[in-house]
Amino acid sequence: MQNNVSQAVDYNSICQIVPTTSESVLHPFVDPLNNHLPGFSINTPSRIAHFLAQVAHESGGFRHRWENLNYSATALTTLFAKYFPNQVMAESYARQPEAIANRIYASRMGNGTEASGDGWRFRGRGLIQLTGRENYLRRGQWLGENLISEPERVAEDLNICVLSACWYWQSKRLNTFADEDDILHITRRINGGLHGLAERKAYLDRAKAVFAKEFNL
């Protein structure tokens, strides 16, 4: 078993793990990561490495904390054929992120109808995207925060952004698979498949190399 580490990451190591993102974007995450990961037992080199690899991929290298829904008509018919069954409908929604969100997330995950605006209001936010009114409600209750009234805080408040991802990690019991170095199982639990696996592995390899030096592994 790996020994617990005193902090999750420092300024230098996070820049090595996510080299394509500017320091100005990465540095504000260092304190929230160090403050909150230990509370979820994400506290060994392997657990921290796997966590960072997954959230780095999911957030586009920590650059994107909210869902990009600016899809073309072709993308809508390809990715969301259930909601856009023909080209005419897709073209009427294309490049309108708010309208797209309201359609694809309507009447599920606790959201109201398309006209309610819940799809856009409770679109994906965070390092591992939180989506849907019901999930915002549950996560907010756990945090002691009113995320229904202020859903944007999941993206804007970096403490909540990190805590939300930690909560998801814990709820899926991903530390167990990190201990087994099982990136495939972790990716499936987060993504539902293996999308972006090569990039996730690249982040993981860099994290392992950084921690091997730092902790003399």
Side-chain angles (χ1 to χ4, degrees), residues 1-8 38 41-49 179 211-212 214-217:
M1 174 179 275
Q2 295 178 352
N3 293 328
N4 292 357
V5 298
S6 58
Q7 65 175 25
S41 298
I42 306 172
N43 56 1
T44 68
S46 183
R47 292 178 181 184
I48 297 167
D179 291 343
F211 294 146
E214 289 186 0
F215 304 115
N216 297 314
L217 302 179

Side-chain angles (χ1 to χ4, degrees), residues 79-153:
L79 298 174
F80 304 106
K82 176 180 177 180
Y83 304 101
F84 302 98
N86 58 67
Q87 190 70 16
V88 172
M89 177 177 283
E91 288 175 355
S92 71
Y93 281 81
R95 302 301 181 190
Q96 300 175 69
E98 185 169 350
I100 292 168
N102 286 333
R103 179 161 182 79
I104 64 176
Y105 294 136
S107 303
R108 61 193 185 97
M109 297 182 291
N111 289 343
T113 64
E114 185 172 347
S116 73
D118 280 354
W120 177 250
R121 189 174 300 111
F122 302 109
R123 67 193 181 278
R125 295 184 180 89
L127 293 179
I128 298 176
Q129 289 187 348
L130 180 65
T131 309
R133 175 185 280 271
E134 182 178 342
N135 289 321
Y136 275 80
L137 176 63
R138 290 174 56 212
R139 200 72 53 89
Q141 289 173 335
W142 175 79
L143 287 168
E145 303 281 351
N146 188 348
L147 299 182
I148 296 298
S149 296
E150 299 179 287
E152 65 280 354
R153 291 185 65 201

Side-chain angles (χ1 to χ4, degrees), residues 25 28-29 32-33 36-37 40 51 55-56 58-59 62-67 124-130 136 139 142-143 145 147 150-169:
V25 171
F29 281 99
L33 288 167
H36 301 306
L37 265 60
F40 295 84
F51 179 87
V55 299
E58 291 291 316
S59 64
F62 291 86
R63 293 188 298 271
H64 309 305
R65 304 193 301 274
W66 45 85
E67 188 174 13
R125 295 184 180 89
L127 293 179
I128 298 176
Q129 289 187 348
L130 180 65
Y136 275 80
R139 200 72 53 89
W142 175 79
L143 287 168
E145 303 281 351
L147 299 182
E150 299 179 287
E152 65 280 354
R153 291 185 65 201
V154 177
E156 295 173 357
D157 184 323
L158 296 192
N159 283 294
I160 293 178
C161 193
V162 170
L163 278 167
S164 179
C166 290
W167 183 93
Y168 184 91
W169 187 269

